[in-house]
Amino acid sequence: MESTPRALYAHIIIKLLQGPIYSDEKNLWRDLMAWQSPVWEHFAKFGIELSIHETDGFARIIQPEAEENEENPLPRLMRKQTMTYEATLLCVILREILEEFDVVMEGSKLFLTQKEIKERIELFYKDQTNKSKLWKDLSKPINNLVNIGILKLSREDITNRDNNQYEVKRIIKALVTNDKLEEIKTKLQNHVNTVQQ
């Protein structure tokens, strides 16, 4: 059996199946820009969209939701991930910090230390008396967001993890749109109101 020649853009397809491509991955980004039409066509055959955000410097693939009356819906390629209350809260906080940052430093990368992240999120836990336990617990949602690619560890300090530095990846703007941000904030507020009653 004759072997099928490999597509020149195969590495881009594989990388997108693994996760987003960022503009700081210079060679991959250049290749994506050069081959975006055949890459788009390749994914379109499977009902998947190639989404390129040049301004924010990332590209990803999206599988649209199946229509309610669709006869043969496609199986999900990408699983939906449910996040804890704390991870969702952290997403909202990071999204708002990025908005504030972009007003002053548009187009630059946003870096935050673990301590800075914790200081922002602890404002929502005013009733906590054991601060060391709170800060230890807040490491979990930070790690959660690292695992799903919203945060990227850029500098590690093994002697004091609070000095660990993270880049807030701009994909958070696609994952948490302005509409979604307002919806999540409303749900979080309702959750807080219920807990306080």
Side-chain angles (χ1 to χ4, degrees):
M1 188 174 157
E2 230 177 277
S3 62
T4 306
R6 191 171 72 185
L8 295 170
Y9 48 84
H11 61 299
I12 304 167
I13 301 286
I14 292 167
K15 181 66 178 167
L16 284 165
L17 286 168
Q18 292 173 339
I21 292 177
Y22 293 98
S23 58
D24 54 9
E25 301 170 276
K26 299 210 182 296
N27 291 340
L28 261 175
W29 188 257
R30 183 198 63 227
D31 291 351
L32 172 62
M33 294 298 103
W35 295 100
Q36 64 180 289
S37 289
V39 170
W40 182 88
E41 285 171 19
H42 173 86
F43 283 117
K45 290 174 189 171
F46 304 99
I48 296 170
E49 295 174 9
L50 171 64
S51 177
I52 300 174
H53 300 253
E54 287 191 61
T55 310
D56 290 316
F58 69 87
R60 65 184 185 132
I61 53 172
I62 304 165
Q63 185 173 11
E65 292 293 333
E67 298 291 330
E68 277 185 38
N69 55 357
E70 197 172 327
E71 274 186 42
N72 296 311
L74 294 168
R76 297 298 301 173
L77 172 67
M78 293 156 278
R79 291 182 186 152
K80 289 187 175 180
Q81 290 179 312
T82 54
M83 290 197 292
T84 63
Y85 168 81
E86 290 78 11
T88 304
L89 176 61
L90 183 53
C91 257
V92 169
I93 291 167
L94 292 174
R95 179 72 167 79
E96 290 187 324
I97 293 172
L98 186 59
E99 286 290 317
E100 294 163 13
F101 178 78
D102 279 347
V103 171
V104 183
M105 303 287 289
E106 189 179 358
S108 301
K109 290 183 179 182
L110 171 60
F111 294 95
L112 297 168
T113 63
Q114 185 160 304
K115 184 180 180 195
E116 289 170 327
I117 294 169
K118 286 178 173 180
E119 284 171 349
R120 289 295 282 261
I121 201 171
E122 76 176 352
L123 298 172
F124 293 84
Y125 294 86
K126 290 177 182 171
D127 297 338
Q128 288 277 0
T129 50
N130 185 344
K131 191 169 179 177
S132 62
K133 182 184 181 304
L134 168 68
W135 278 46
K136 185 181 174 191
D137 290 346
L138 290 178
S139 297
K140 291 175 190 169
I142 289 172
N143 292 334
N144 191 309
L145 296 194
V146 168
N147 292 337
I148 61 174
I150 289 174
L151 288 173
K152 180 183 177 185
L153 183 63
S154 59
R155 187 186 69 225
E156 188 171 16
D157 184 340
I158 52 171
T159 58
N160 183 357
R161 298 211 181 278
D162 285 331
N163 293 329
N164 284 357
Q165 187 179 62
Y166 299 89
E167 179 188 350
V168 180
K169 302 303 281 182
R170 292 188 170 274
I171 195 164
I172 195 172
K173 291 174 84 174
L175 299 174
V176 186
T177 61
N178 286 331
D179 291 342
K180 193 74 178 167
L181 183 62
E182 291 308 313
E183 180 189 325
I184 293 170
K185 280 163 78 174
T186 303
K187 284 181 181 175
L188 289 172
Q189 188 57 54
N190 291 340
H191 175 77
V192 169
N193 293 343
T194 306
V195 169
Q196 288 175 348
Q197 285 173 359

